[in-house]
Amino acid sequence: MTTARRSDATRAAILEAARERFAEDGYERATIRAIARDAAIDPSMVMRYYGNKEGLFAAASEIDLDLPALGGLPARHIGAVLVTHFLDRWERDDVLTGMLRVGVTNTAGAERMRAVFAEQLGPIARGVCPDPAEAPRRAALVASQVLGMALARYVLRLPPAVEMSTDEVVAWLGPTVQRYLTDPEP
Amino acid sequence: MTTARRSDATRAAILEAARERFAEDGYERATIRAIARDAAIDPSMVMRYYGNKEGLFAAASEIDLDLPALGGLPARHIGAVLVTHFLDRWERDDVLTGMLRVGVTNTAGAERMRAVFAEQLGPIARGVCPDPAEAPRRAALVASQVLGMALARYVLRLPPAVEMSTDEVVAWLGPTVQRYLTDPEP
DNA sequence: AGCGTTGGCCAACAAGCGTTGGCCAACAGT
DNA sequence: ACTGTTGGCCAACGCTTGTTGGCCAACGCT
């Protein structure tokens, strides 16, 4: 077991600043110098602790969608529950917005997103959709709608998407997600 | 009327190279030097003709979704027609992928996207949805699903989304878009 | 008290960026 | 043929970036 180091606070501060900057500015415009300034330390410390910018990004983008277990749930409510959860998760902090920003411009970021959805949304789809072999496709459909709304609402900020209440979003997207997961193939 | 200049070919070459680079790399990583190299001219020419990088981007991102007139169409096919058209438009060239990439990291890019969807998708929604006052919201919902699929399929390249045929995508997304446009509010 | 280890800053590097201004050849009008 | 205009390249500028290595103070152990 590893004992606590004196530098752990600094490491954490760097990571937090990095997450914020990556989320706000995307990979290229989030400079190590700006991150270091936010964390109130010298840029060289970032290098010392995380090797290089890619390493920092890898450390800063460990993402947990934190999806709920859907075990005892009535099958026909899954869509609404899932959309509700995604909205919550998206508004809790800006890690997911960051993932989206970085995934779009950076190869490593895109790879990370593929992994996150395959590992965390895939199993859920496998649990509820009619034919487990179709689970990846159905998960991708759900991802397309959920990510699309996140894009419109939190990144592009299309005014009508921003103005909708979370209840309205759930009412509109819930049935869509529900259909993608549980309806027979069209 | 303005007469043709000798430099028009160069101007066009720059614009084409710019579109490609912006689409592939996003705003920051699409450097003027790289664009000039692609167009086989000197970087300073880009400045001469387009003022600065922002001006070049503005000129390179004049976007036409080229949406069809839906006049005589049976109302219940609108969803499928629209999705089909978007897929076509998206695969015809990489202007839209570029718009997406840049819209995510660049303020001017996001602004451009808001304008494009408000001006080109808005009117269509106004024409077919029950209450014209709800048109912007419904257009935003359609945008969220269409952009989300584009994101998953052409930018993040989630494998299941890439592997689906266009027919399958239309079969799944068509009803969603249809519902967003014409169903009564939930 | 002495000494190795750790945490941190400073100064600098090479590379790449957007951008500028000057120079030269090819053209067009007279 | 002469001259003004246009199209183009070259070389440089000031700046920012990621990254490196050396130096110093604070700590923890014996």
Side-chain angles (χ1 to χ4, degrees), chain B residues 38-54:
Chain B
D38 289 357
I41 45 91
D42 189 89
S44 64
M45 304 304 295
V46 177
M47 309 298 300
R48 183 118 95 190
Y49 293 142
Y50 296 98
N52 55 23
K53 190 175 179 180
E54 270 200 47

Side-chain angles (χ1 to χ4, degrees), chain A residues 25-49:
Chain A
D25 298 338
Y27 187 81
E28 331 286 337
R29 279 182 25 216
T31 69
I32 288 195
R33 288 169 143 94
I35 291 168
R37 209 177 312 125
D38 288 357
I41 44 91
D42 189 90
S44 63
M45 303 305 295
V46 177
M47 309 298 300
R48 183 115 95 189
Y49 292 141

Side-chain angles (χ1 to χ4, degrees), chain B residues 112-129:
Chain B
R112 175 66 51 124
M113 282 195 79
R114 283 192 289 268
V116 165
F117 276 87
E119 291 163 14
Q120 301 185 41
L121 188 55
I124 289 192
R126 208 168 304 119
V128 302
C129 79

Side-chain angles (χ1 to χ4, degrees), chain A residues 76-95:
Chain A
R76 70 184 154 293
H77 293 153
I78 289 176
V81 168
L82 223 45
V83 173
T84 304
H85 177 85
F86 265 112
L87 284 177
D88 277 2
R89 182 65 191 79
W90 223 283
E91 285 176 3
R92 181 159 73 219
D93 55 50
D94 41 28
V95 172

Side-chain angles (χ1 to χ4, degrees), chain B residues 28-127:
Chain B
E28 333 285 336
R29 278 181 25 215
T31 69
I32 287 195
R33 287 169 144 96
I35 292 167
R37 207 177 313 126
D38 289 357
I41 45 91
D42 189 89
S44 64
M45 304 304 295
V46 177
M47 309 298 300
R48 183 118 95 190
Y49 293 142
Y50 296 98
N52 55 23
K53 190 175 179 180
E54 270 200 47
L56 174 63
F57 171 69
S61 62
E62 256 151 41
I63 289 158
D64 191 357
L65 293 183
D66 203 13
L67 294 172
L70 298 177
L73 218 66
R76 69 184 155 292
H77 293 153
I78 290 176
V81 168
L82 223 45
V83 172
T84 304
H85 178 84
F86 266 112
L87 284 177
D88 277 3
R89 184 63 191 80
W90 224 283
E91 285 175 5
R92 182 160 70 217
D93 56 49
D94 41 29
V95 172
L96 291 202
T97 306
M99 173 183 73
L100 190 45
R101 277 222 165 80
V102 176
V104 168
T105 46
N106 181 267
T107 307
E111 179 56 44
R112 175 66 51 124
M113 282 195 79
R114 283 192 289 268
V116 165
F117 276 87
E119 291 163 14
Q120 301 185 41
L121 188 55
I124 289 192
R126 208 168 304 119

Side-chain angles (χ1 to χ4, degrees), chain A residues 118-149:
Chain A
E119 291 163 12
Q120 300 185 43
L121 188 55
I124 289 191
R126 207 169 305 120
V128 301
C129 78
D131 177 1
E134 287 299 321
R137 172 163 314 186
R138 287 165 183 273
L141 285 162
V142 172
S144 82
Q145 175 58 96
V146 168
L147 285 176
M149 179 50 78

